[in-house]
Amino acid sequence: MAEDFLASALEAEADSRARQDPDYPLFHVAPPVGRLNDPNGLIEVGGTYHAFFQYTPQHPRKLVYWGHATSADLTHWDYHAPAILPDTRQDRNGAYSGTAIEVGDHVELWYTGNYKDAETGEREATQCVVTTRDMVRFDKHVPPIIESQPRGYTAHFRDPQVWRDTDGSYRMLLGVQRENLTGAALLYRSTDLRAWECEGEMTFPDASGAFDSFGYMWECPNLVRLRDEESGCSRDVLIFCPQGITPEREGFENVFPCVAIVGELVGTEFRGADGCFEEVDRGTEFYAPQIMARSSSSPSDAPTILLGWAGNAGEDDQPSIASGGWVHCFTAPRALSLRSGRLIARPYLPGLPLAPAQLRGTPTDEDGAVVAQLVDSRSWRLAFDVAYGAERLSLRIGEDSGLEIILEEERLVVDRQGTRYPHGGRRVVSLTAGEANRVEVVHDRSITEIYLGDGSRVFTTRTFLRGAGVGVRLAGGASVANLRSARAD
Ligand code: FRU
């Protein structure tokens, strides 16, 4: 008898111990059971934010669905039945990543069907669509819409982003691998979303070849238009995950990185990108982020929101597997913009607004420590300004939790060596002048995000702390002002 894929996912969810796990985040999207990876199909429709996600409810059995969560405030999430099941030949080995687009009276979820021949191991990647009128019932179109990759590319052909161009036609951006085993992004165009024509590779005419041989595969490309806060001009930003790059400079320590480049897409040419690229997040876990699509009812000044996967391929051996049968989560939503041509990402949590906070303790406490008034919370956000002089600021979450965050005028150090996390270690990030003066930390049980310089540098890290992990202590001679906080529990 054919397997009932929905029933088996719901059964796994019914047996889930995830919510009882003290490490399970309260306001970050996490899997109801099993494994979560990339954000998928992010879209706001009529004021409701939909976050789909790569979901493996029976992890480690590799059956990849699209999970589904919704929120009115990007802080409190409700979880629903999976929206895409791996129940046809086209997606038997995974309903892989993709995006959502509103089209008239319905929404289309575009995804990659992953099929692997059981005998030869040969992969077939197809671009597929699911339609929905109510965001509750999802109808899968069989067969796939784009049946295979064009000549010159391998079957690493996936992660469609679909959007409506200014001329009314539709475009699709895909991550691909060339037959010479280098990564690229491919563009398609359509007038009706069903017949697609390959326009060719995205090229970088002003980059002096910098992106011609840039890793062996580009995953999850996303194109977004952002306004620069300084110049007022809008630019296109390409965010993508080039696998296997080894740039000769600080950063890129994760198994796979995620980078952003800024320019102007004209046809298939991404003009003005001079070969510079920056990591979107300098933290230990960050990958495959996606822009939240908007619907026709969204206000025109609605922020551009990004969510990422706070995970790394191959690092599934986290403490939460034993304690709750789940692994990985998303980052907090981030509002994006540009400042002097650089990507800016600020936490965007309308359901958890910051309010003025008082310091507990006095500068004469141990080593001149100041202690923020959040001592009985394990899920919170905290923002403040810092003046360093010759001093530093140490931020400890929980008592003897094994995590230490040290901020200096031009350096961030995050040390997880003492935590329960098996991929611990210590990471140092050089900062530019002023970045360390404005700090926000978003902490939710086992995930910590550090935002510096009003969104100019972000560091996401999974923090499986020792002990109760309650509260936060700021110590060191640097002086702290303008403290604001919010707690989620
Ligand atoms: C990125 C990725 C995507 C793919 C999905 C499969 O993490 O490898 O390229 O669609 O995950 O789960």
Side-chain angles (χ1 to χ4, degrees):
M1 207 175 79
E3 177 166 0
D4 182 338
F5 290 89
L6 180 59
S8 49
L10 296 180
E11 231 168 80
E13 288 182 7
D15 291 340
S16 176
R17 298 172 286 122
R19 269 169 223 287
Q20 287 83 53
D21 183 355
D23 287 322
Y24 193 75
L26 294 186
F27 61 91
H28 288 73
V29 173
V33 67
R35 181 179 194 263
L36 161 153
N37 56 300
D38 312 354
N40 289 159
L42 303 180
I43 188 165
E44 175 265 316
V45 186
T48 300
Y49 297 96
H50 294 262
F52 299 89
F53 48 90
Q54 288 286 281
Y55 183 31
T56 315
Q58 296 172 71
H59 175 78
R61 185 181 175 208
K62 281 195 177 147
L63 265 182
V64 184
Y65 296 61
W66 273 35
H68 184 198
T70 55
S71 176
D73 62 6
L74 293 164
T75 308
H76 302 89
W77 292 94
D78 293 319
Y79 292 85
H80 309 283
I84 308 182
L85 317 176
D87 61 354
T88 59
R89 183 190 184 278
Q90 68 199 35
D91 46 31
R92 181 178 299 162
N93 298 93
Y96 274 10
S97 288
T99 53
I101 178 173
E102 184 197 48
V103 188
D105 62 353
H106 68 279
V107 167
E108 301 198 346
L109 304 180
W110 283 84
Y111 73 99
T112 296
N114 185 45
Y115 173 83
K116 245 186 189 170
D117 187 285
E119 258 150 47
T120 63
E122 210 166 302
R123 187 197 287 266
E124 285 175 26
T126 55
Q127 311 316 322
C128 306
V129 72
V130 157
T131 58
T132 178
R133 282 179 202 282
D134 55 9
M135 302 303 277
V136 175
R137 262 200 38 219
F138 298 91
D139 299 312
K140 187 181 290 182
H141 190 289
V142 181
I145 306 293
I146 301 180
E147 302 265 3
S148 72
Q149 70 275 18
R151 284 172 72 98
Y153 299 91
T154 74
H156 289 287
F157 165 67
R158 58 177 173 268
D159 309 335
Q161 183 194 17
V162 176
W163 74 97
R164 190 160 199 187
D165 208 355
T166 44
D167 70 359
S169 67
Y170 296 94
R171 297 190 91 181
M172 182 189 290
L173 177 66
L174 288 155
V176 288
Q177 181 181 60
R178 300 185 190 106
E179 271 173 356
N180 71 2
L181 307 189
T182 55
L186 211 52
L187 284 155
Y188 280 72
R189 198 182 278 275
S190 170
T191 53
D192 62 359
L193 290 155
R194 294 296 174 268
W196 289 90
E197 191 187 323
C198 182
E199 294 182 279
E201 256 181 43
M202 189 183 283
T203 58
F204 303 89
D206 305 313
S208 314
F211 304 117
D212 293 352
S213 178
F214 193 60
Y216 60 81
M217 165 66 191
W218 292 7
E219 293 192 313
C220 302
N222 259 235
L223 189 78
V224 61
R225 194 151 181 87
L226 296 174
R227 196 168 164 274
D228 195 299
E229 294 173 7
E230 301 252 292
S231 68
C233 296
S234 292
R235 313 281 309 275
D236 290 323
V237 181
L238 178 69
I239 296 173
F240 63 107
C241 300
Q243 294 179 292
I245 60 166
T246 47
E248 285 167 4
R249 57 183 161 113
E250 184 191 297
F252 308 93
E253 295 98 337
N254 298 347
V255 55
F256 300 133
C258 172
V259 303
I261 60 181
V262 181
E264 195 78 36
L265 184 68
V266 181
T268 55
E269 291 187 352
F270 197 82
R271 296 185 187 161
D274 60 3
C276 292
F277 57 93
E278 271 208 76
E279 265 181 298
V280 175
D281 186 306
R282 293 293 306 275
T284 48
E285 282 85 18
F286 183 83
Y287 200 64
Q290 185 175 108
I291 302 294
M292 173 90 60
R294 294 283 185 174
S295 58
S296 51
S297 60
S298 305
S300 58
D301 60 350
T304 300
I305 296 168
L306 173 123
L307 286 118
W309 172 37
N312 277 319
E315 293 183 355
D316 293 342
D317 51 338
Q318 300 191 355
S320 59
I321 287 285
S323 56
W326 65 281
V327 61
H328 304 304
C329 62
F330 283 178
T331 65
R334 297 169 183 178
L336 298 188
S337 71
L338 292 171
R339 199 191 297 143
S340 302
R342 283 196 62 238
L343 190 65
I344 298 296
R346 302 181 176 95
Y348 185 70
L349 291 161
L352 198 60
L354 289 169
Q358 297 298 318
L359 297 178
R360 275 175 98 252
T362 67
T364 53
D365 279 356
E366 327 138 45
D367 325 316
V370 291
V371 185
Q373 193 184 45
L374 287 157
V375 280
D376 52 356
S377 175
R378 301 182 62 238
S379 289
W380 43 263
R381 63 192 288 202
L382 174 66
F384 51 86
D385 299 338
V386 194
Y388 292 89
E391 308 290 343
R392 56 188 346 216
L393 185 77
S394 139
L395 199 141
R396 283 181 196 269
I397 299 172
E399 289 283 323
D400 303 321
S401 65
L403 172 72
E404 179 150 39
I405 299 167
I406 296 166
L407 275 158
E408 294 164 6
E409 188 85 59
E410 296 197 356
R411 215 164 78 118
L412 165 71
V413 181
V414 176
D415 192 340
R416 303 188 288 180
Q417 288 173 105
T419 68
R420 287 177 290 132
Y421 193 54
H423 303 285
R426 182 173 178 271
R427 186 168 294 180
V428 179
V429 178
S430 303
L431 304 174
T432 57
E435 281 186 319
N437 297 113
R438 290 187 72 179
V439 180
E440 175 158 358
V441 181
V442 174
H443 176 75
D444 190 8
R445 292 171 155 208
S446 60
I447 175 166
T448 308
E449 297 168 66
I450 305 162
Y451 296 80
L452 302 176
D454 193 21
S456 93
R457 194 79 58 177
V458 190
F459 190 107
T460 299
T461 184
R462 294 304 306 281
T463 45
F464 291 93
L465 306 176
R466 294 197 184 278
V470 169
V472 57
R473 178 173 172 276
L474 306 177
S479 68
V480 169
N482 192 21
L483 197 76
R484 286 147 296 136
S485 70
R487 52 178 295 168
D489 58 355

